[in-house]
């Protein structure tokens, strides 16, 4: 800044003149430089907010201070405003009402507690780097520095409980607002978180050496700032044998909630040990086992989980894991658990990659919701991280100096702005539905949710858990998706139709020589061609034996008769009539009764008719003779026996076939019954 | 069983399965607290009766919300059962006529959400009393809002 703080401080808003004594000047300039976040004349609202908190004044007072100093009108904290602020703070701390009049007189310097680290850390840096703000010290850099250190040492004596309350008070007053929200408020939460833990530690450390095995000595003030992170490292060392690192990260050297690079690396390694894929989730049970090793009490671990599982899916992403781990580390170090997630941790959650958290200005945005600890409308808290996921770019765009400028202006933003923010959340592409739900819900309610994103995410999918209360009947789902039972194994080489079973049996028995005969429904016995020939032989032999008197034609005729009789006996019941007289009729009968054997019978018939005609006339006696009957009976017996044998054979074959078919029929029946029963079993379920 | 008593009495109970022991009890006014405890316990019978009456296989949210269990002379009792048979009971003072059914439903919904969040915490064993600060704060805010 070009102007020297002295001259700038001499000016005053609305023309009032603020005389500053040398002490105040120095103090104010020191504070001013400390609060300056950039080279412009404006101050980091975050730092100013910290100052506010450090002053340990009630919220109302601080509000008044803000109003009076005119920063609101100006939109930012200029040097004049800063002076006024400091003056008013001191006045308030002295018990005077916050008025411009009250600061006219001589006032002690405002007291700030817990600001030592910042002041101390800043000054060496400034002086070393020849900071352009150096001249602001009024040329007495060294002196100012020392003085500032003394000053801050003084401030550090006092402690942070009130600061925390004040932070909360301060945070309550400013309402949340659009991206260009006051950047100073985040610090209230941030430092409240930090102070709650850090200051107790710091205060203790001021008076006594640090508890943990930090490498630094507690006496050196410049190292105090690094102590909390150092202690965290010590705890990290307790987990493994990693070396401690002295240096702190860039912006917040003494921010215990900020994950340093070393820590991040360590967490990454731990994450990989649990889950090789950095993009994957660690399940709740796994994480539980892992964190239980830290020997923290379960309720605390439970609370840490609630803080870190921002999407509430029961599993930890890498970011969430780092957050949880960091909280555990901090807790191990003695930091009391924050009520809500600190902004720096939240920023680490938000960071898309492993980049370190953004500087104050941007963090403030995310920290804003968490600044509102009590009676905070949910949407900002919930949606901030949501927005940050998607709208980081826009946020950063909107952030620029406008943030700081408008920070003061928006301190008095009412709840309406808070409610307006939900409408902005709607624009987040991700989880819009749930965000809207939450927004609408919380426009009606003012809920105290110190915790993080109260996401309504499904347990199943990471980062999204729609609340569906309709319980699906698992059994239904299972049964619906149940693979239909495999059909019964098909019988190979079998057919379902009973009729074709015959074919199967047919093929099976083909080797038995029945193939040709079963092409059609089993016909009766075979055409006895061979028997005929046999009969002929028989008859020939029989006649030769018994009918020597017969002449050849008679022999032939007789043979014919024999054949006919045999045939008739074979094919019919005992209609065979012995003798020529009845031969014709049997022949015809034979011919008629056995259409299947028409051929042979016809042929025989023809033959026999041919033979019989001549024989009929000549041997009527033969027909009725006993001799022929005897001969016939012999032959007949044999023939009959043959026929019987044949019949029995065919009968046996048929019977066997029948039994096999019956068996197959039974099998098929049983299969059908089984299938039907299965169908019955399945049917009622399918309809539910 | 989760109980919550409202300033104008407002009691919320959630119970679990057959054991029916309270997981969480909260009441705003400390006076006549026993009376609300008693009321909650007796209302469990009504809850179970309603639950058993629901013979349908599919349970949707409408059936999760049991509605007014029974109005007594002083207060009304609302019931809600989750899919895991955890019961919530809210006792509201009858004089608090501003509470409409929709509001009660939304309260139950929020409770269910918070309860689910608690359940998702791997460090929480189902059946333990709920000690989640988040849950507490949510319940407090709800009770404050209605009072």
């Amino acid at each position: 800044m070009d102007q020297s703080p002295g001259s700038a401080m001499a000016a005053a808003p609305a023309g009032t003149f603020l005389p500053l004594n040398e002490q105040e000047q120095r103090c104010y300039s020191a504070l001013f430089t400390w609060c300056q976040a950039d080279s412009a004349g404006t101050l980091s609202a975050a730092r100013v907010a910290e100052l506010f908190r450090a002053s340990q004044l009630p919220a109302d007072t601080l509000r008044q201070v803000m109003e009076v100093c005119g920063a609101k009108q100006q939109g930012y904290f200029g040097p004049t405003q800063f002076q006024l602020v400091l003056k008013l703070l001191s006045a308030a701390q002295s018990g005077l009402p916050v008025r411009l009049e009250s600061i006219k007189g001589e006032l002690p310097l405002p007291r700030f507690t817990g600001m030592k680290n910042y002041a101390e850390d800043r000054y060496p840096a400034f002086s070393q780097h020849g900071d352009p703000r150096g001249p602001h010290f009024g040329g007495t850099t060294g002196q100012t520095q020392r003085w500032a250190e003394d000053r801050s040492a003084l401030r550090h004596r006092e402690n942070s409980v009130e600061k925390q309350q004040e932070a909360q008070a301060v945070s309550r007053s400013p309402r949340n607002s659009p991206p260009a929200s006051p950047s100073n408020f985040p610090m209230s939460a941030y430092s409240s978180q930090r102070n709650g833990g850090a200051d107790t530690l710091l205060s203790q450390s001021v008076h006594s050496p640090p508890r943990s095995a930090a490498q630094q000595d507690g006496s050196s003030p410049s190292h105090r700032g690094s102590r909390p992170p150092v202690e965290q490292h010590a705890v990290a060392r307790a987990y493994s044998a990693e070396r401690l690192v002295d240096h702190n990260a860039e912006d917040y050297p003494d921010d215990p909630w900020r994950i340093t690079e070393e820590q991040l690396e360590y967490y990454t390694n731990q994450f990989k040990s649990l889950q090789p894929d950095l993009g994957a989730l660690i399940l709740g049970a796994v994480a539980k086992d892992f964190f239980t090793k830290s020997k923290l009490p379960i309720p605390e671990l439970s609370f840490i989980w609630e803080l870190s599982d921002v999407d509430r899916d029961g599993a930890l992403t890498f970011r969430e894991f780092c957050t949880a781990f960091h909280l555990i580390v901090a807790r191990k170090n003695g930091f009391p658990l924050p009520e809500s997630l600190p902004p720096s941790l939240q920023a680490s959650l938000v960071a898309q990659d492993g980049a370190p958290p953004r500087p104050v200005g941007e963090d403030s945005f995310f920290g804003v919701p968490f600044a509102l600890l009590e009676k905070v409308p949910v949407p900002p808290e919930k949606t901030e991280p949501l927005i940050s996921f998607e709208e980081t770019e826009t946020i950063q765009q909107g952030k620029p100096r406008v943030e700081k400028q408008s920070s003061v202006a928006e301190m008095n933003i009412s709840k309406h702005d808070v409610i307006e923010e939900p409408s902005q959340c709607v624009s987040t592409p991700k989880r819009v539905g749930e965000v809207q739900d939450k927004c609408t819900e919380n426009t009606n309610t003012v809920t105290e949710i110190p915790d993080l994103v109260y996401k309504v995410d499904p347990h199943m999918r990471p980062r999204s858990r729609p609340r569906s209360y309709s319980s699906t009947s698992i059994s239904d789902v299972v049964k619906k998706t149940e693979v239909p039972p495999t059909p019964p194994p098909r019988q190979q080489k079998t057919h379902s139709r009973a009729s074709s079973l015959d074919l199967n049996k047919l093929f099976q028995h083909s080797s038995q020589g029945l193939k040709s005969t079963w092409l059609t429904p089993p016909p009766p016995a075979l055409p006895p061609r061979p028997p005929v020939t046999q009969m002929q032989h028989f008859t020939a032999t029989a006649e030769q034996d018994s009918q020597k008197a017969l002449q050849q034609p008679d022999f032939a005729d007789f043979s014919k008769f024999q054949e006919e009789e045999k045939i008739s006996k074979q094919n019919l019941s005992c209609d065979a009539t012995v003798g020529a007289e009845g031969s014709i009729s049997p022949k015809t009968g034979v011919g008629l009764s056995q259409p299947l054997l028409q051929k042979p019978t016809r042929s025989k018939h023809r033959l026999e008719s041919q033979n019989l005609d001549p024989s009929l006339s000549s041997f009527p006696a033969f027909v009725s003779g006993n001799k022929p009957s005897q001969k016939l009976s012999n032959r007949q017996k044999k023939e009959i026996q043959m026929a019987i044998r044949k019949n029995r054979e065919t009968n046996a074959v048929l019977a066997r076939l029948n039994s096999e078919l019956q068996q197959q029929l039974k099998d098929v029946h049983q299969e059908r019954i089984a299938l039907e029963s299965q169908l019955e079993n399945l049917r009622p379920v399918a309809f539910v | 069983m989760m109980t919550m008593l409202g300033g104008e009495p407002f009691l919320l109970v959630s119970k679990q399965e057959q054991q029916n022991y309270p997981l969480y009890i909260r009441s705003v006014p400390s006076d006549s607290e026993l009376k609300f405890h008693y009321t909650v316990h007796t209302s469990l019978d009504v809850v179970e009766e309603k639950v058993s009456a629901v013979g349908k296989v599919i349970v949707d949210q409408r059936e999760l919300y049991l509605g007014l269990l029974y109005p007594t002379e002083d207060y009304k009792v609302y019931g809600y059962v989750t899919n895991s048979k955890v019961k919530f009971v809210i006792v509201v003072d009858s004089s608090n006529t501003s509470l409409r059914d929709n509001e009660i439903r939304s309260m139950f919904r929020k409770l269910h959400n918070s309860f689910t969040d608690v359940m998702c915490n791997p460090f929480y064993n189902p059946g333990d009393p709920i000690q989640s600060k988040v849950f507490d704060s949510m319940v407090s805010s709800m009770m404050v809002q209605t009072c």
Side-chain angles (χ1 to χ4, degrees):
Chain A
M1 188 173 138
D2 303 324
Q3 318 164 19
S4 66
S7 58
M9 289 179 182
T16 60
F17 181 69
L18 271 182
L20 297 174
N21 57 23
E22 193 187 345
Q23 235 187 357
E24 287 174 340
Q25 207 165 3
R26 265 185 261 131
C27 168
Y28 292 174
S29 58
L31 287 173
F32 189 84
T33 52
W34 178 80
C35 283
Q36 266 189 335
D38 55 349
S39 55
T42 59
L43 296 178
S44 158
R47 292 291 169 85
V48 175
E50 271 212 1
L51 277 182
F52 276 24
R53 260 167 279 113
S55 64
Q56 300 181 351
L57 289 173
D60 295 337
T61 314
L62 291 169
R63 223 180 296 134
Q64 284 177 335
V65 168
M66 293 284 271
E67 287 174 9
V68 169
C69 75
K72 188 172 70 168
Q73 284 87 13
Q74 225 175 350
Y76 62 94
F77 272 111
T80 51
Q81 284 74 37
F82 192 72
Q83 290 179 50
L84 277 176
V85 163
L86 293 173
K87 280 257 179 192
L88 290 168
L89 286 176
S90 58
Q93 281 172 349
S94 315
L96 298 172
V98 180
R99 295 271 188 279
L100 280 173
E101 303 80 43
S102 53
I103 61 177
K104 295 282 171 64
E106 194 70 29
L107 292 168
L109 286 169
R111 295 182 306 278
F112 299 101
T113 61
M115 306 301 288
K116 179 181 180 194
N117 291 339
Y118 297 98
E120 289 170 347
D121 283 332
R122 283 289 181 191
Y123 299 147
F126 293 158
S127 60
Q128 286 163 17
H129 299 298
D131 195 278
R133 299 168 228 158
H136 294 166
F137 287 94
T140 58
T141 309
Q143 186 182 2
T144 312
Q145 200 173 356
R146 267 178 269 117
W147 174 85
E149 287 180 9
D150 295 337
R151 202 81 219 165
S152 48
L154 261 181
R155 295 177 205 144
H156 261 293
R157 302 289 170 200
E158 299 161 17
N159 212 350
S160 61
V161 176
E162 294 170 75
K163 202 196 303 188
Q164 194 172 6
Q165 293 171 355
E166 181 187 312
Q168 293 177 4
V170 170
S171 61
R172 251 184 250 129
S173 51
R175 288 308 169 204
N176 200 354
S177 68
S181 59
S183 56
N184 56 344
F185 298 108
M187 296 311 300
S188 61
Y190 153 81
S191 59
S192 72
Q193 314 310 329
R194 181 193 153 282
N195 294 333
D199 288 337
T200 41
L201 182 66
L202 287 170
S203 61
Q204 292 175 12
S205 61
V206 166
H207 301 289
S208 61
R211 292 179 269 135
S212 72
Q215 290 177 356
Q216 282 85 5
D217 182 29
S219 56
S220 153
S222 61
H223 288 297
R224 279 201 201 130
S226 62
R227 195 174 299 123
V230 167
E231 287 170 349
Q232 294 172 25
H233 288 297
V235 174
R237 194 166 51 178
Y239 280 83
S240 74
E242 287 196 7
R243 55 179 171 82
L244 277 179
V245 176
D246 264 359
H247 81 280
N248 302 318
E250 306 75 24
D251 300 309
Y252 290 116
D254 44 0
D255 172 17
W257 301 115
R258 200 172 159 283
I259 301 176
T260 65
E261 292 300 317
E262 289 280 330
Q263 291 172 323
L264 191 67
E265 190 184 325
Y266 177 73
Y267 300 157
T268 312
N269 293 337
Q270 292 294 316
F271 187 92
K272 281 183 184 160
S273 73
L274 292 177
Q275 172 71 271
D277 180 14
L278 278 184
L281 297 173
I282 289 186
L283 294 178
V286 173
K288 175 184 176 180
D289 295 335
F290 182 73
F291 290 137
T292 312
K293 284 190 249 173
S294 69
K295 296 190 179 50
L296 281 180
I298 296 291
E300 293 193 5
L301 287 173
S302 175
F303 188 61
I304 287 175
W305 176 277
E306 282 180 351
L307 287 179
S308 50
D309 189 8
V310 295
D311 50 12
R312 314 205 80 83
D313 58 356
L316 297 180
T317 65
F318 175 61
R319 298 276 149 228
E320 293 171 346
F321 175 83
C322 289
T323 310
F325 210 133
H326 199 71
L327 285 169
I328 289 177
V329 163
R331 184 76 190 110
K332 276 287 203 182
N333 274 328
F335 287 92
L337 288 177
E339 289 299 315
S340 71
L341 208 61
S344 53
L345 274 182
Q346 203 191 3
S348 75
L349 275 176
V350 164
Q352 300 290 344
D353 49 6
R358 298 186 206 81
V360 184
E362 298 170 34
D363 274 340
S364 64
F365 169 55
F366 302 113
V368 170
F370 300 90
L372 314 176
L373 288 179
E374 299 172 57
K375 297 193 181 170
V376 169
V378 176
E381 281 191 4
K382 293 187 190 182
T383 55
E384 285 302 336
L386 295 184
I387 293 179
S388 61
F389 277 113
E390 308 297 335
E391 298 179 1
T392 51
E393 296 74 23
T394 59
I395 289 168
Q396 291 178 6
Q397 293 163 11
K399 150 237 170 193
R401 308 308 165 198
V402 177
E403 203 175 310
K404 292 166 184 160
Q405 293 179 6
S406 59
S407 61
V408 178
E410 297 172 29
M411 277 174 29
N412 293 335
I413 289 172
S414 65
K415 279 190 196 178
H416 300 297
D417 294 330
V418 177
I419 295 172
E420 282 170 23
E421 176 145 35
S423 61
Q424 293 193 11
C425 313
V426 175
S427 62
T428 52
K430 219 174 174 183
R431 302 174 239 177
V432 166
E434 290 128 348
V435 165
Q436 282 175 340
D437 273 347
K438 284 295 176 185
C439 292
T440 51
E441 262 188 24
N442 294 299
T443 47
N444 301 326
T445 70
V446 173
T447 57
E448 175 189 36
I449 298 188
D451 200 347
L452 256 194
V453 179
Y454 227 7
K455 267 322 290 180
V456 187
D457 283 330
H459 198 2
M460 316 303 283
R461 288 158 36 202
R463 299 185 184 230
S464 54
R465 179 169 65 174
R467 305 272 181 172
S468 65
Y469 293 103
S470 60
S471 67
T472 57
S473 169
I474 295 175
S475 59
D476 289 348
V477 173
V478 167
K479 281 169 185 168
K480 279 174 187 168
T481 58
E482 190 182 37
V483 176
T486 57
R490 288 182 177 274
Q491 298 178 8
Q492 294 186 359
K493 298 185 181 179
T494 60
H495 297 267
S496 57
R497 293 179 56 202
S499 60
S500 50
L501 277 174
D502 301 333
L503 285 175
N504 296 329
K505 283 298 174 187
L506 194 68
F507 296 135
Q508 287 174 13
H509 295 298
S510 62
S511 61
Q512 298 177 11
L514 298 175
K515 188 173 184 179
S516 57
T517 61
W518 299 120
L519 290 172
T520 55
L526 304 165
R529 267 264 181 196
V532 171
T533 57
Q534 288 177 12
M535 279 168 51
Q536 284 178 352
H537 286 299
F538 256 119
T539 55
T541 55
E543 285 183 1
Q544 283 173 2
D545 295 337
S546 60
Q547 298 177 2
K548 287 181 183 176
L550 289 174
Q551 292 179 5
Q552 288 186 355
D554 295 338
F555 176 79
D557 294 335
F558 280 128
S559 66
K560 292 292 188 291
F561 285 145
Q562 294 296 329
E563 290 176 5
E564 288 176 8
E565 288 169 1
K566 264 239 165 170
I567 289 168
S568 68
K569 278 169 188 172
Q570 278 182 349
N571 298 330
L572 292 174
S573 55
C574 303
D575 281 345
T577 59
V578 177
E581 290 177 353
S583 64
I584 297 174
S585 56
K587 284 179 198 172
T588 55
V590 168
L592 287 171
S593 62
Q594 295 298 325
L596 292 172
L597 301 174
Q598 282 176 0
K599 261 192 179 177
T601 54
R602 279 179 195 155
S603 59
K604 286 178 190 168
H605 186 73
R606 279 185 237 118
L607 285 170
E608 290 153 8
S609 62
Q610 290 170 6
N611 295 328
L612 277 173
D613 291 339
S615 63
L616 271 174
S617 60
S618 61
F619 302 102
F622 267 93
V623 175
S624 59
N626 289 333
K627 282 186 182 177
S629 63
Q630 288 179 356
K631 291 174 187 174
L632 283 171
S633 65
N634 285 338
R635 287 180 208 146
Q636 284 172 4
K637 280 181 189 173
K638 287 177 187 174
E639 289 165 1
I640 287 165
Q641 285 171 4
M642 284 291 292
I644 287 170
R645 204 181 319 124
K646 296 291 177 188
N647 280 335
R648 280 189 190 143
E649 285 173 9
T650 53
N651 192 26
V653 169
L654 284 171
R656 193 174 61 212
L657 178 68
N658 183 34
S659 65
E660 285 170 356
L661 288 173
Q662 289 289 332
Q663 185 61 40
Q664 283 197 352
L665 181 65
K666 283 181 199 168
D667 292 341
V668 169
H669 271 305
Q670 284 176 357
E671 284 178 19
R672 185 191 165 190
I673 290 167
L675 283 173
E676 278 179 356
S677 66
Q678 275 184 356
L679 183 65
E680 282 300 316
N681 290 339
L682 289 174
R683 188 170 292 161
V685 177
F687 280 143
V688 172
Chain B
M1 164 165 74
M2 255 177 22
T3 317
M4 195 168 84
L5 297 170
E8 304 303 343
F10 184 1
L11 186 148
L12 183 135
V13 177
S14 90
K15 292 192 159 182
Q16 188 190 17
E17 296 184 5
Q18 291 109 13
Q19 292 91 7
N20 275 340
Y21 56 87
L23 294 176
Y24 184 84
I25 298 182
R26 189 79 164 277
S27 65
V28 165
S30 35
D31 58 329
S32 68
E33 198 166 330
L34 276 179
K35 177 180 160 197
F36 297 122
H37 284 244
Y38 161 74
T39 310
V40 166
H41 277 274
T42 55
S43 65
L44 286 178
D45 287 337
V46 185
V47 169
E48 298 205 7
E49 173 194 333
K50 286 204 180 228
V51 167
S52 61
V54 177
K56 289 186 252 178
V57 177
I58 299 171
V59 179
D60 59 347
Q61 187 171 10
R62 293 186 62 80
E63 297 174 17
L64 294 179
Y65 173 71
L66 301 173
L68 185 64
L69 296 179
Y70 63 90
T72 64
E73 67 283 2
D74 285 339
Y75 40 83
K76 305 178 209 163
V77 182
Y78 295 93
Y80 182 93
V81 64
T82 69
N83 294 325
S84 54
K85 302 300 173 200
V86 176
K87 306 171 192 61
F88 296 73
V89 175
I90 296 183
V91 173
V92 189
D93 191 30
S94 284
S95 59
N96 193 356
T97 55
S98 62
L99 275 181
R100 295 179 296 127
D101 194 58
N102 288 340
E103 293 171 8
I104 303 281
R105 278 180 192 267
S106 70
M107 277 163 43
F108 274 129
R109 200 178 311 123
K110 273 186 278 182
L111 279 167
H112 197 165
N113 285 346
S114 308
F115 181 70
T116 315
D117 291 340
V118 167
M119 279 291 167
C120 281
N121 192 329
F123 297 102
Y124 171 77
N125 301 315
D128 293 348
I130 296 175
Q131 289 159 345
S132 157
K133 296 184 202 171
V134 176
F135 192 81
D136 287 345
S137 60
M138 193 276 303
V139 168
S140 307
S141 66
M142 244 170 48
M143 297 197 328
V144 163
Q145 177 219 347
T146 56
C147 293

